[in-house]
Amino acid sequence: MSLAEQFEWFADWCVGTSSLYERIARGIANDPEVLTLAEEIPPKRGTPNILLAAVHWHLLDDGSHPLADYYPNLTDDPKTDDPFPAFRDFCVEYESELLPLLRNRRTQTNAVRRCTALFPAFSHISNEVGNEPLAFVELGPSAGLNLCWDEYTYEYGDVGTFGTGECVLDAEVRSEKIPPVSVDFPPVASRIGIDLNPLDVRDEADVRWLRALIWPEHGDRQRLLQRAANVARQHPPDLRQGDAIEDLPAVLMGIPDDVPVCVFDTQMRYQLPDPAQDRLRARIEAAAQERTLHWLSGHEATDEWDNAFTLDWFDGEEYRSLAAYEQHGKWLRWLL
Ligand SMILES: C[S@@+](CC[C@H](N)C(=O)[O-])C[C@H]1O[C@@H](n2cnc3c(N)ncnc32)[C@H](O)[C@@H]1O
């Protein structure tokens, strides 16, 4: 896809969930000067996300530019006329401040509500290994909020509420099959994340980047992020800077052989080039020959389930889909 096509695609993706970004993205797709600025973003990083987040990052710090008047999280009475001229002015005026973010930052949206799909999947795997404590290894954890999954409370409507944590994650269950959750959370032996660029919830600039990646209309996600970041500050996850594929074997070697492992990733694999996807699969399959290892991978929107993502499970022998979930975890269907 050309850059203009990427912004058009992104605008379509925003329909119904962010009218502000939809309109700005369509404006960018037709503006050669802003597209030239977007060329500064290295490929495979989610160019539209990075440009919009870089602008948002600055507005969160200083909302004095007229563009802020269009952002529903920055003003009580957002303007409704075309936001693109103000966006364009901002990009021209703040180009030198934007460039370091465009060149160095990544799409690292840490959507903690995705844990509403992970929690039943972890429970399922825990049952599979006879409730032995699991060593969790997350690939592409961003700030590691989802590694703190057992600190949160889960509300699944009629299915019930599980946990006592102050950060409450709610999700609608859209399947007849009930996700296998209970008040007894799966026991944890250890938790480690491997990310090319781990974000630190104690660092103001990193937390602002996480906030900036959330679309301005999504106030509930902003609130959840703040609560989950507070949890992660109290229970800092062990995050290792590295490549999920190249560094996975060393991380696995550090986990005692008799401890069952649950490797998981959500919305990370789309950032890998195809050959790296194949290498990741091969590494995991090889590791599963040597020890008890399960892999959960949340990836790829599928039309079959209203454009939801699928959570696939590899048990060491075969692959099955455990759940379909809305991209940010607002609902799930349990499939097994
Ligand atoms: C969109 S974020 C998803 C974060 C988190 N998994 C979630 O679902 O909220 C993707 C993360 O994957 C990381 N990532 C991408 N490629 C990677 C690689 N080869 N090795 C390790 N991390 C990678 C990025 O740095 C980023 O933090």
Side-chain angles (χ1 to χ4, degrees):
M1 273 200 272
S2 69
L3 268 189
E5 286 166 343
Q6 287 183 45
F7 278 96
E8 282 292 356
W9 179 91
F10 184 85
D12 291 342
W13 180 253
C14 291
V15 171
T17 177
S18 176
S19 65
L20 177 66
Y21 276 7
E22 182 198 345
R23 297 168 85 194
I24 292 176
R26 292 212 198 282
I28 299 170
N30 292 299
D31 190 292
E33 200 174 348
V34 181
L35 285 174
T36 301
L37 182 64
E39 279 174 11
E40 295 292 332
I41 300 165
K44 270 281 179 194
R45 292 209 180 161
T47 296
N49 262 325
I50 301 276
L51 179 57
L52 287 157
V55 170
H56 195 192
W57 191 86
H58 282 289
L59 292 177
L60 285 168
D61 186 40
D62 175 1
S64 59
H65 188 277
L67 176 61
D69 296 341
Y70 292 87
Y71 282 58
N73 59 327
L74 300 177
T75 173
D76 291 335
D77 188 18
K79 289 172 84 169
T80 55
D81 59 315
D82 184 4
F84 183 67
F87 184 88
R88 191 180 191 289
D89 283 353
F90 187 95
C91 289
V92 172
E93 192 177 332
Y94 287 90
E95 180 176 340
S96 55
E97 286 87 347
L98 289 171
L99 283 174
L101 293 171
L102 302 184
R103 290 175 181 153
N104 299 314
R105 287 285 183 178
R106 296 172 177 274
T107 300
Q108 296 196 264
T109 318
N110 207 177
V112 67
R113 205 186 249 122
R114 287 179 191 142
C115 287
T116 59
L118 289 170
F119 170 44
F122 293 158
S123 303
H124 173 79
I125 289 172
S126 183
N127 289 337
E128 291 282 314
V129 300
N131 294 313
E132 287 290 314
L134 284 160
F136 289 92
V137 178
E138 183 175 3
L139 310 179
S142 181
L145 302 182
N146 296 349
L147 275 167
C148 301
W149 60 273
D150 51 345
E151 297 293 335
Y152 308 134
T153 293
Y154 295 86
E155 281 185 1
Y156 293 107
D158 292 344
V159 173
T161 296
F162 308 90
T164 53
E166 282 175 19
C167 179
V168 179
L169 310 178
D170 57 317
E172 182 191 344
V173 176
R174 290 196 177 172
S175 54
E176 301 216 330
K177 290 181 178 164
I178 303 293
V181 282
S182 87
V183 288
D184 296 321
F185 281 30
V188 178
S190 58
R191 56 192 106 211
I192 297 171
I194 313 169
D195 201 289
L196 289 174
N197 179 46
L199 295 180
D200 184 347
V201 288
R202 292 158 298 188
D203 180 284
E204 191 278 326
D206 278 0
V207 173
R208 181 144 46 100
W209 183 247
L210 288 169
R211 292 175 60 206
L213 284 161
I214 296 178
W215 299 349
E217 287 91 341
H218 298 191
D220 65 326
R221 292 179 56 213
Q222 289 280 359
R223 285 185 289 278
L224 269 189
L225 171 70
Q226 298 286 9
R227 282 182 209 137
N230 286 340
V231 171
R233 275 190 281 270
Q234 288 161 40
H235 306 273
D238 178 355
L239 300 183
R240 316 260 173 101
Q241 194 276 325
D243 182 275
I245 303 150
E246 303 313 322
D247 297 323
L248 178 61
V251 167
L252 292 176
M253 284 213 342
I255 299 170
D257 288 344
D258 56 346
V259 175
V261 174
C262 175
V263 177
F264 71 100
D265 56 81
T266 50
Q267 270 87 330
M268 185 279 288
R269 276 173 55 192
Y270 79 94
Q271 297 190 0
L272 301 179
D274 286 343
Q277 301 246 12
D278 294 342
R279 275 208 318 284
L280 174 62
R281 244 189 317 270
R283 287 255 154 102
I284 298 226
E285 287 172 9
Q289 301 282 318
E290 307 292 326
R291 66 184 309 153
T292 304
L293 183 147
H294 294 251
W295 178 30
L296 289 170
S297 189
H299 67 111
E300 283 181 24
T302 146
D303 290 344
E304 190 187 354
W305 303 108
D306 310 334
N307 233 8
F309 283 69
T310 55
L311 189 58
D312 290 340
W313 166 47
F314 174 64
D315 65 357
E317 287 182 3
E318 58 177 314
Y319 289 87
R320 275 163 280 183
S321 287
L322 280 188
Y325 63 98
E326 188 274 335
Q327 59 164 328
H328 299 122
K330 280 198 284 195
W331 56 259
L332 80 148
R333 290 193 169 93
W334 189 254
L335 303 178
L336 200 67

